[in-house]
Amino acid sequence: MTKIQKYKMYINGQWVNSESGKLIETLNPENNKIWATVPEANTKDVDKAVKAAQTAFNTSWANLYPRDRAKYLRSLADLLRKNSEHLGKIETIDTGKLFRETKTQAKYIAEYYDYFAGLADKVEGTVVPIDKPDMQVTTTRIPIGVVAAIIPWNSQMLLTAVKLAPALAMGNTVVIKASELAPVTLLEFAKLVEKSGIPKGVVNVITGLGEPCGKALTAHKLVERIAFTGGPETAKHIIKNSSENLSQVSLELGGKSPVVVFNDADQENALNGITSGIFGASGQSCIAGSRLYIQSKIYDEFLYKLVKKAQKIKIGAPMKKETQMGPLNSFKQLEYIEKNIKSTIEQGGKIKCGGKRLSISNEGYYFPPTIIECKNHNLPSAKNELFGPVLSVMKFKEEEEAIKLMNDNKYGLSSGVYTSNLGKAMRVSKAIRAGMVFVNTYRLISPMAPFGGIKDSGYGKEAGIESIKEYTRVKTTWYNSSDKPMTDPFTMG
Ligand code: NAD
């Protein structure tokens, strides 16, 4: 039997247990076995972390020159590159995602810290052309204060980087709450934060449940900015919690992203893009392209090829090189997917491949690539975010119809368009109500490219040049340049 790893939290530059001594046991999705324990933070632990962040904000971090903060970020980026294999391995055990993907991503995450390090000393203020004599008015961007970063279980390194890097670059301090479903990766990441020399209290990583830990953090009086990624139901709690501290909130939520393939698309390209969009990370990606609309002329042929491709995907242990799809993150998720598939079939959905748990599913949380033909997109699998490898396929005839169908869902995170006609690509991508559109490609990220959704997929973009301003507030300063005393207020008018 392998030894269970015991982790501590990182608060105020120290490795600590929770006040209560309670632990969360974390399961390996590959075999359903406990592989690590982490502290279960309660309100007292949250309070300690937030106060440490507040002290660090007031006494050190916010007052550093931006270029000096940038040095710390670059040092963290170097450490991420050097430790990407190790972090990737931990993230794979934590989440069940493929090692191939987690180690590559861990290395790439370094680019985010470098990018925001580069921006740290480039956020300038303005001189306002004011309408008053002798007055000079300037605006400067100042840090906000303590940031609460709430992270979901998937892509913790990335979803932390898009919050932490701009927040630190601008002089804020941060308390990160890892997900209870995969808490270890961020504790390993905290070891690199410590090594980078970032002063104590500037970055704190706590582990705990949504309630009481996440609730206490997002409602804490000293928190002034909340950056949340997770599901829409949790987001509603976050907004309620923030009424306690009137924090500025950004929400990166779920999606049910539509993808359209026109008759004139390069089919090989579309097949690869669609497969990676829905079966990559076992479909557990917020931007998963899970609703597919195929134009009628190529419908049968394209669907046939897609099913063949999906059936060839090798499912297995996520650490193995040859594995193309690993397990889901939790058994609860698997059951939720099954429930949706069952009701989709009852309402007329036709399974083209997959659809049922595998014999190895009782050991790990494996679910096969599934394609369901739906007569309309109101069937459960075509409507709800399943966060799994399930693609719902529908037929359409005309471009306008496709646009209407694509926009007919409460979410608006991502979308995809496959066509070889430039005009059509431009018309459709313009008409889609989503935060992101991929044309003849899919599932790409970059520190330079803003990421985020509209409608029920949330608000506030992460990554990209503008996102750094989301971690600042504008301060207006009035200077009186006159030598004369101010007019007596009682003689005015
Ligand atoms: P989740 O909403 O269940 O949990 C996210 C985080 O919120 C966890 O850390 C959890 O402990 C915390 N939380 C739960 N209740 C809370 C409360 N009352 N107060 C404060 N915090 C609370 O999400 P999940 O299952 O971990 O992740 C999957 C969801 O995240 C999916 O809907 C997915 O689409 C979404 N997601 C979105 C993006 C994006 O960038 N748009 C990226 C990845 C995942």
Side-chain angles (χ1 to χ4, degrees), residues 221-246:
K221 293 280 184 207
L222 295 178
V223 165
E224 295 194 59
R225 169 82 166 87
I226 300 168
F228 173 76
T229 303
E233 285 312 308
T234 316
K236 290 180 190 161
H237 289 285
I238 300 284
I239 293 168
K240 276 191 206 134
N241 301 346
S242 74
S243 71
E244 296 294 325
N245 50 25
L246 303 176

Side-chain angles (χ1 to χ4, degrees), residues 299-493:
Y299 183 85
D300 290 332
E301 175 200 0
F302 192 81
L303 183 56
Y304 175 81
K305 288 184 193 165
L306 194 60
V307 170
K308 284 271 159 236
K309 200 168 173 67
Q311 283 170 330
K312 282 192 197 138
I313 292 174
K314 290 194 192 94
I315 300 168
M319 283 302 290
K320 281 194 183 154
K321 223 177 178 177
E322 63 273 19
T323 300
Q324 293 171 327
M325 220 178 83
L328 299 172
N329 176 253
S330 71
F331 196 61
K332 200 171 141 212
Q333 196 60 30
L334 192 148
E335 286 182 318
Y336 174 71
I337 290 168
E338 280 182 337
K339 197 176 113 206
N340 271 272
I341 291 180
K342 187 169 172 275
S343 42
T344 303
I345 295 168
E346 282 163 7
Q347 291 171 50
K350 283 192 196 130
I351 299 283
K352 302 301 284 184
C353 64
K356 281 198 182 113
R357 67 173 83 172
L358 304 161
S359 56
I360 50 169
S361 302
N362 295 329
E363 212 178 293
Y365 319 129
Y366 292 96
F367 201 81
T370 298
I371 298 179
I372 312 179
E373 209 178 2
C374 297
K375 56 181 186 302
N376 70 64
H377 67 191
N378 293 320
L379 302 192
S381 74
K383 194 171 159 187
N384 305 330
E385 183 188 39
L386 300 192
F387 223 52
V390 182
L391 181 66
S392 299
V393 182
M394 281 74 56
K395 193 191 280 189
F396 76 95
K397 284 198 185 116
E398 305 295 339
E399 183 181 315
E400 265 184 37
E401 182 193 356
I403 293 169
K404 220 168 144 193
L405 291 168
M406 290 173 89
N407 285 339
D408 185 24
N409 190 276
K410 66 176 184 171
Y411 291 109
L413 185 55
S414 179
S415 55
V417 183
Y418 293 94
T419 175
S420 54
N421 180 316
L422 180 63
K424 199 184 291 171
M426 290 171 82
R427 284 192 303 273
V428 177
S429 52
K430 188 176 168 202
I432 291 174
R433 297 266 304 135
M436 292 172 282
V437 189
F438 293 99
V439 179
N440 293 327
T441 186
Y442 209 80
R443 209 166 172 251
L444 296 172
I445 52 158
S446 163
M448 293 114 204
F451 185 101
I454 59 171
K455 293 163 53 180
D456 278 14
S457 294
Y459 46 79
K461 289 271 181 186
E462 295 190 321
I465 201 160
E466 288 298 315
S467 74
I468 199 155
K469 292 186 185 160
E470 298 248 344
Y471 290 90
T472 63
R473 292 251 164 86
V474 174
K475 181 190 232 175
T476 309
T477 309
W478 291 73
Y479 299 95
N480 183 356
S481 62
S482 170
D483 285 340
K484 293 181 201 134
M486 280 175 68
T487 319
D488 181 340
F490 301 111
T491 62
M492 272 201 295

Side-chain angles (χ1 to χ4, degrees), residues 150-154 159 177-180 209-211 214-215 218 228-232 234 237-238 241 252-255 286 385 387 413 451:
I150 309 286
I151 312 294
W153 69 265
N154 70 318
L159 299 170
K177 187 197 112 37
S179 162
E180 58 272 45
L209 306 177
E211 288 195 32
K215 185 174 177 184
T218 47
F228 173 76
T229 303
T234 316
H237 289 285
I238 300 284
N241 301 346
E252 291 291 348
L253 311 179
C286 53
E385 183 188 39
F387 223 52
L413 185 55
F451 185 101

Side-chain angles (χ1 to χ4, degrees), residues 75-101:
S75 149
L76 188 55
D78 289 345
L79 286 161
L80 278 164
R81 283 188 194 97
K82 283 186 197 128
N83 292 278
S84 58
E85 289 258 338
H86 174 66
L87 280 171
K89 189 175 162 212
I90 296 291
E91 192 168 6
T92 289
I93 303 170
D94 225 11
T95 62
K97 286 171 75 173
L98 296 188
F99 179 52
R100 254 189 303 136
E101 184 165 336

Side-chain angles (χ1 to χ4, degrees), residues 147-303:
V147 176
I150 309 286
I151 312 294
W153 69 265
N154 70 318
S155 300
Q156 306 104 302
M157 296 288 295
L158 169 69
L159 299 170
T160 297
V162 290
K163 299 168 179 60
L164 185 62
L168 293 184
M170 286 292 93
N172 304 278
T173 55
V174 185
V175 179
I176 301 166
K177 187 197 112 37
S179 162
E180 58 272 45
L181 294 176
V184 178
T185 310
L186 291 180
L187 294 174
E188 286 286 345
F189 168 71
K191 291 181 185 170
L192 303 186
V193 171
E194 186 183 28
K195 263 194 195 165
S196 73
I198 290 177
K200 68 173 188 174
V202 172
V203 180
N204 306 273
V205 181
I206 59 174
T207 47
L209 306 177
E211 288 195 32
C213 175
K215 185 174 177 184
L217 178 58
T218 47
H220 198 289
K221 293 280 184 207
L222 295 178
V223 165
E224 295 194 59
R225 169 82 166 87
I226 300 168
F228 173 76
T229 303
E233 285 312 308
T234 316
K236 290 180 190 161
H237 289 285
I238 300 284
I239 293 168
K240 276 191 206 134
N241 301 346
S242 74
S243 71
E244 296 294 325
N245 50 25
L246 303 176
S247 277
Q248 179 187 333
V249 179
S250 58
L251 303 172
E252 291 291 348
L253 311 179
K256 189 70 195 173
S257 300
V259 177
V260 62
V261 187
F262 286 99
N263 290 335
D264 59 15
D266 173 336
Q267 290 200 15
E268 196 190 335
N269 181 54
L271 284 166
N272 286 338
I274 290 161
T275 313
S276 113
I278 185 65
F279 301 130
S282 303
Q284 302 166 108
S285 158
C286 53
I287 59 167
S290 53
R291 287 191 283 146
L292 177 64
Y293 301 94
I294 308 175
Q295 202 162 13
S296 46
K297 211 170 120 196
I298 58 159
Y299 183 85
D300 290 332
E301 175 200 0
F302 192 81
L303 183 56

